[in-house]
């Protein structure tokens, strides 16, 4: 079973602060995705990273895929209350037929 | 982008009854659909994978007789929670994977169904 551990599990910060969420595994993934989910809704895809060492930016969000494709990080600059939500990483197994393994999740709360 | 519709959004039922949840791909053919279960503030746990026209593959620990999955067409999969009990109360989410080349690496998620069993 492939496990994806996210840290921290919970994070409560003030508006304007920076933060980093980590997603770690001992398994190699063909690609890794980050999602954001709000209560009562399905997860929304933020980004997909495919190449080891890849860095992608989405406005104030920066995503990095580890060189060995076993881990990833999400960095948010100048967090805003609208960033509040559950952040999930999910790895696509090599040859896994689109089967995603979700990380343990990071609950982020950004306060004014 | 591709859209997956999940219905109902929420359902309340009495203990012992069965509940059916539908997952439809609206603008693409979904060769594979996945069903997840999620408890409050926790991650998604994969329950089963269903391929059109064949039996679903269940993850370890998921009772196939309890959670019946049907994927009779390329646009519809259903999850039936049979003889529901309060411990089955949870948020259930489906996702679909298309067979078009550009969709191969992407999954599209439904909006989820909150099940409350009294």
């Amino acid at each position: 079973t492939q496990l994806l551990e996210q840290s921290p599990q919970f994070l409560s910060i003030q508006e304007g602060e920076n933060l980093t969420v980590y997603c770690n595994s001992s398994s190699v993934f063909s690609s890794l995705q980050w999602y954001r989910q709000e209560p009562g809704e399905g997860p929304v895809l933020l980004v997909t990273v495919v190449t080891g060492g890849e860095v992608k930016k989405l406005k104030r969000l920066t995503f990095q895929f580890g060189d060995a494709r076993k881990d990833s990080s999400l960095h948010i600059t100048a967090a805003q209350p609208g960033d509040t939500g559950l952040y999930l990483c999910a790895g696509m197994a090599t040859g896994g037929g689109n089967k995603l393994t979700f990380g343990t999740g990071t609950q982020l709360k950004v306060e004014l | 982008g591709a859209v997956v519709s999940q219905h109902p959004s929420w359902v309340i039922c009495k203990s012992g009854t069965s509940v059916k949840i539908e997952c439809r791909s609206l603008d693409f053919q979904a060769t594979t659909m996945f069903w997840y279960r999620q408890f409050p503030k926790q991650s998604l746990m994969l329950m089963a994978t269903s391929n059109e026209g064949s039996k679903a593959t269940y993850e370890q620990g998921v009772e196939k007789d309890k959670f019946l999955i049907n994927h009779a067409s390329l646009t519809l999969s259903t999850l039936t929670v049979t003889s529901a009990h309060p411990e089955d109360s949870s948020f259930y989410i489906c996702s679909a994977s298309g067979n078009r080349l550009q969709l191969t690496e992407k999954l599209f998620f439904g909006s989820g169904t909150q099940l409350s069993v009294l």
Side-chain angles (χ1 to χ4, degrees):
Chain A
T1 303
Q2 298 173 307
L3 296 175
L4 277 167
E5 294 284 341
Q6 284 183 237
S7 61
Q9 186 177 1
F10 298 99
L11 189 57
S12 181
I13 60 173
Q14 299 294 313
E15 183 181 19
E17 292 185 28
N18 302 331
L19 67 115
T20 302
V21 178
Y22 299 94
C23 174
N24 295 296
S25 175
S26 58
S27 301
V28 177
F29 295 97
S30 63
S31 65
L32 196 137
Q33 300 176 338
W34 283 92
Y35 293 84
R36 179 168 158 267
Q37 185 185 23
E38 297 197 31
E41 298 181 10
V44 175
L45 179 66
L46 298 174
V47 77
T48 300
V49 285
V50 178
T51 306
E54 182 177 5
V55 176
K56 281 191 174 179
K57 291 191 175 183
L58 184 65
K59 296 184 180 179
R60 294 178 293 101
L61 278 60
T62 302
F63 305 86
Q64 185 165 6
F65 201 12
D67 291 341
R69 291 186 288 131
K70 292 182 179 181
D71 52 81
S72 180
S73 64
L74 158 61
H75 183 79
I76 301 179
T77 304
Q80 299 176 0
D83 296 327
T84 294
L86 178 66
Y87 287 83
L88 296 162
C89 64
M92 188 85 74
T94 53
N98 285 352
K99 183 176 177 178
L100 276 181
T101 298
F102 277 87
T104 48
T106 296
Q107 184 66 50
L108 171 65
K109 184 177 182 180
V110 183
E111 298 181 286
L112 292 169
Chain B
V3 177
V4 173
S5 174
Q6 190 172 337
H7 179 81
S9 298
W10 56 269
V11 58
I12 301 173
C13 69
K14 292 183 178 179
S15 185
T17 61
S18 294
V19 175
K20 180 184 284 188
I21 302 170
E22 292 187 349
C23 182
R24 293 180 183 274
S25 57
L26 298 185
D27 56 358
F28 69 101
Q29 293 182 326
T31 52
T32 306
M33 286 190 174
F34 303 90
W35 287 95
Y36 301 86
R37 184 174 182 175
Q38 185 179 31
F39 292 106
K41 291 185 167 50
Q42 293 187 24
S43 189
L44 278 69
M45 298 299 296
L46 180 65
M47 298 174 66
T49 303
S50 74
N51 293 297
E52 185 266 338
S54 61
K55 290 183 178 181
T57 302
Y58 290 80
E59 295 298 304
Q60 191 173 7
V62 179
E63 300 175 59
K64 59 180 67 177
D65 294 331
K66 174 75 172 176
F67 300 99
L68 300 179
I69 291 173
N70 183 280
H71 192 167
S73 77
L74 284 171
T75 59
L76 174 64
S77 177
T78 60
L79 166 66
T80 301
V81 183
T82 62
S83 187
H85 289 93
E87 57 265 30
D88 298 323
S89 298
S90 187
F91 193 58
Y92 293 87
I93 306 175
C94 70
S95 68
S97 172
N99 62 350
R100 292 185 294 173
L101 185 61
Q102 59 268 36
L103 294 181
T104 300
E105 288 294 319
K106 292 186 178 180
L107 288 178
F108 301 91
F109 285 82
S111 55
T113 298
Q114 181 63 52
L115 170 63
S116 296
V117 184
L118 304 179

